[in-house]
Amino acid sequence: MTLPDAYQPPEAHQPEVSERSRGVALVLAFFGGVFGLHRFYVGKNGTGIAMIVTLGGLGVWWLYDMVLLVTGEFRDADDLPLRSWFVEDIRHLGGRSDPRVEAMEQELGALRDQFNDLAERVDFAERMLAQHRDRPQLPRG
């Protein structure tokens, strides 16, 4: 026996969020907000240029954007909200991930493995040399 559609539990739906970091945007807005650096970061180039020309709307536009960033209501060029403080959190919230970043993470993991293997080999060679050096030498003669 199945329940009617009205009684089916809703599927877990993760809201789509921006791939941009809210923390990075907030830092850019704090240090260069009157020049629209945070708007260039999220892909809003036109309004970024307008902020340069007006010096952040003489500070009013900059202050408004700061409030939006702190509350998590600031949106990127694709109209997706910046909700994640850290770049790593974006994948967990259903954001899109860049395939280039994933490829670089895989390459970094491979380099880490190679480095660990090399460190083991150097350690082994050092132990072998120490054993050879500590062995008593037979007198020549």
Side-chain angles (χ1 to χ4, degrees), residues 57-132:
L58 297 176
V60 176
W61 192 358
W62 169 78
L63 184 61
Y64 178 74
D65 280 356
M66 288 294 288
V67 170
L68 288 179
L69 279 165
V70 169
T71 60
E73 296 301 318
F74 194 78
R75 295 181 173 270
D76 67 5
D78 297 325
D79 202 35
L80 298 172
L82 277 71
R83 297 278 164 83
S84 303
W85 285 103
F86 303 104
V87 178
E88 296 84 27
D89 294 341
I90 294 171
R91 286 191 206 104
H92 301 297
L93 293 176
R96 300 178 307 245
S97 61
D98 191 351
R100 295 176 298 175
V101 172
E102 290 177 8
M104 285 177 44
E105 286 176 347
Q106 290 175 353
E107 289 179 23
L108 182 61
L111 284 173
R112 186 179 300 124
D113 292 341
Q114 289 176 356
F115 179 78
N116 289 338
D117 185 46
L118 183 61
E120 278 184 38
R121 290 178 184 205
V122 167
D123 185 49
F124 177 75
E126 287 176 346
R127 280 187 275 132
M128 294 299 290
L129 288 172
Q131 283 178 353
H132 180 70

